[in-house]
Amino acid sequence: MLIDTYGRVATDLRVSLTDRCNLRCTYCMPEEGLQWLAKPDLLTDDEIVRLIGIAVTDLGVTEVRFTGGEPLLRPGLVGIVERCAALTPRPQMSLTTNGIGLERTAQALRDAGLDRVNVSLDTLRPEVFQALTRRKRHDDVLHGLDAARTAGLTPVKVNTVLMPGLNDDEAPDLLAWALENDYELRFIEQMPLDAQHGWKRDGMITAGDILTSLRTRFTLTAEGEDERGSAPAERWLVDGGPARVGVIASVTRPFCRACDRTRLTADGQVRTCLFAREESDLRGALRSGAPDEEIARLWRLAMWGKKAGSGLDDPSFLQPDRPMSAIGG
């Protein structure tokens, strides 16, 4: 069990498979990209599967989310999914992706055992997509979403970040589109995880702004805390349901008290929080020949030291040194 001093138990593991990405989203990294991790620093496929196996069989993890960077850039992704699906007990497995390449891989991932996907899409307008991502790949994402739905990677969730002056007027249109296509839309407040450290609290599009915009066209009914559990998204029934829309308000409505997540970076570091400035090394233990029991002990020790909250509401908050692409979303 991965328990901390506040009594929270981590059962949801987020695994970054690579720090590389084929987009250059303005809220994540600079136009020229970043200095990627060297291949020897990355966990191998075998190391990833071993760590996930320890988490599932020895530490009580029941859900695994593969992230990046962009996880579809990991050559061994399908094989990793297939091997993790064979674990006992079998974890629920999902993938967070920008959708580029999903059209050609969705069915293989489903056949390997992946349960569902989250796809990032911030706009319905190709020109805005290009401005946000610095790439002309809007159609590729739409095709990837369609392929995921066809393959049965459902519910297909769409993650959207609204940025001032770019797509902050699109919330109602995005929700109407998601309802029409049977996708579950989730708006995410922009978080201080950009490599440029250019994030500013003032002027960001908040959960309150998003809900006000949506209510110009839809009736929203709060689902309630009992239904939410430890999920990061607050959800609302749309026009009486059953369709829902979610808002992840990491900045203005932190949900740290119910957090059940532990994170593993692409180079084998445990992170107790997306906004943590400290990490605990498991790669070194793996490569020095440590047995599973020792690795599990190190993981428990790391999680025992998890802080009460993210610190975002503290005026002295400092962004993590590593950007989102290295941490894993």
Side-chain angles (χ1 to χ4, degrees):
M1 182 181 293
L2 292 171
I3 190 169
D4 64 34
T5 54
Y6 299 92
R8 296 168 298 192
V9 178
T11 58
D12 184 334
L13 170 61
R14 308 295 172 97
V15 182
S16 174
L17 298 180
T18 179
D19 60 331
R20 296 174 182 266
C21 189
N22 42 15
L23 297 180
R24 296 291 181 269
C25 297
T26 56
Y27 51 78
C28 186
M29 68 174 71
E31 186 171 4
E32 65 273 14
L34 299 170
Q35 182 66 47
W36 308 125
L37 291 167
K39 187 173 181 179
D41 294 335
L42 294 170
L43 293 175
T44 66
D45 292 0
D46 287 345
E47 289 171 336
I48 290 169
V49 173
R50 183 182 171 196
L51 286 175
I52 293 174
I54 292 169
V56 169
T57 60
D58 298 337
L59 297 174
V61 164
T62 58
E63 297 182 43
V64 176
R65 172 84 61 85
F66 298 106
T67 71
E70 174 45 53
L72 292 180
L73 295 179
R74 178 85 187 202
L77 172 60
V78 172
I80 291 171
V81 171
E82 187 172 31
R83 292 168 67 184
C84 291
L87 293 170
T88 302
R90 181 199 186 280
Q92 288 290 305
M93 292 183 294
S94 58
L95 177 83
T96 294
T97 171
N98 62 29
I100 296 173
L102 190 56
E103 182 180 16
R104 65 176 182 272
T105 55
Q107 190 60 58
L109 287 167
R110 181 63 176 142
D111 293 344
L114 192 71
D115 294 299
R116 63 172 190 82
V117 294
N118 287 37
V119 179
S120 299
L121 180 65
D122 300 322
T123 178
L124 299 176
R125 304 192 295 248
E127 69 279 7
V128 176
F129 182 91
Q130 185 174 354
L132 279 166
T133 68
R134 305 184 178 104
R135 298 291 186 271
K136 298 176 69 173
R137 306 298 296 271
H138 191 254
D139 282 348
D140 293 329
V141 180
L142 295 179
H143 293 155
L145 279 160
D146 184 63
R149 182 182 55 200
T150 299
L153 292 169
T154 55
V156 175
K157 296 184 179 180
V158 177
N159 294 340
T160 296
V161 176
L162 296 182
M163 300 289 290
L166 284 171
N167 61 341
D168 53 339
D169 61 335
E170 286 195 70
D173 289 341
L174 281 159
L175 180 52
W177 165 82
L179 295 174
E180 181 182 349
N181 289 278
D182 199 26
Y183 303 140
E184 184 174 323
L185 182 62
R186 306 193 315 171
F187 292 96
I188 303 176
E189 287 183 336
Q190 184 196 2
M191 294 180 285
L193 292 170
D194 59 306
Q196 314 90 290
H197 286 209
W199 177 86
K200 292 182 174 58
R201 189 182 302 269
D202 295 339
M204 64 171 285
I205 308 301
T206 67
D209 297 331
I210 294 163
L211 293 170
T212 296
S213 180
L214 292 176
R215 285 178 170 130
T216 63
R217 196 181 306 180
F218 302 96
T219 299
L220 304 181
T221 306
E223 190 175 56
E225 290 298 318
D226 291 342
E227 292 288 336
R228 180 183 183 184
S230 61
E234 295 179 75
R235 299 199 304 181
W236 283 262
L237 295 173
V238 180
D239 292 340
R244 294 170 173 82
V245 64
V247 178
I248 299 177
S250 300
V251 178
T252 62
R253 303 182 186 182
F255 41 87
C256 301
R257 286 185 298 176
C259 181
D260 66 348
R261 283 167 289 289
T262 183
R263 300 176 182 275
L264 188 64
T265 67
D267 55 351
Q269 310 299 306
V270 171
R271 294 183 64 86
T272 60
C273 173
L274 195 57
F275 303 102
R277 295 181 61 82
E278 308 84 18
E279 298 177 339
S280 300
D281 181 31
L282 295 186
R283 184 189 64 194
L286 277 175
R287 295 183 179 178
S288 66
D292 289 0
E293 295 78 10
E294 173 62 10
I295 293 168
R297 185 190 70 82
L298 292 172
W299 206 329
R300 289 191 189 98
L301 184 63
M303 293 306 295
W304 184 250
K306 184 172 181 171
K307 295 180 179 178
S310 64
L312 279 170
D313 53 351
D314 188 328
S316 64
F317 171 80
L318 294 175
Q319 289 187 217
D321 292 328
R322 303 181 80 183
M324 190 187 313
S325 63
I327 294 170

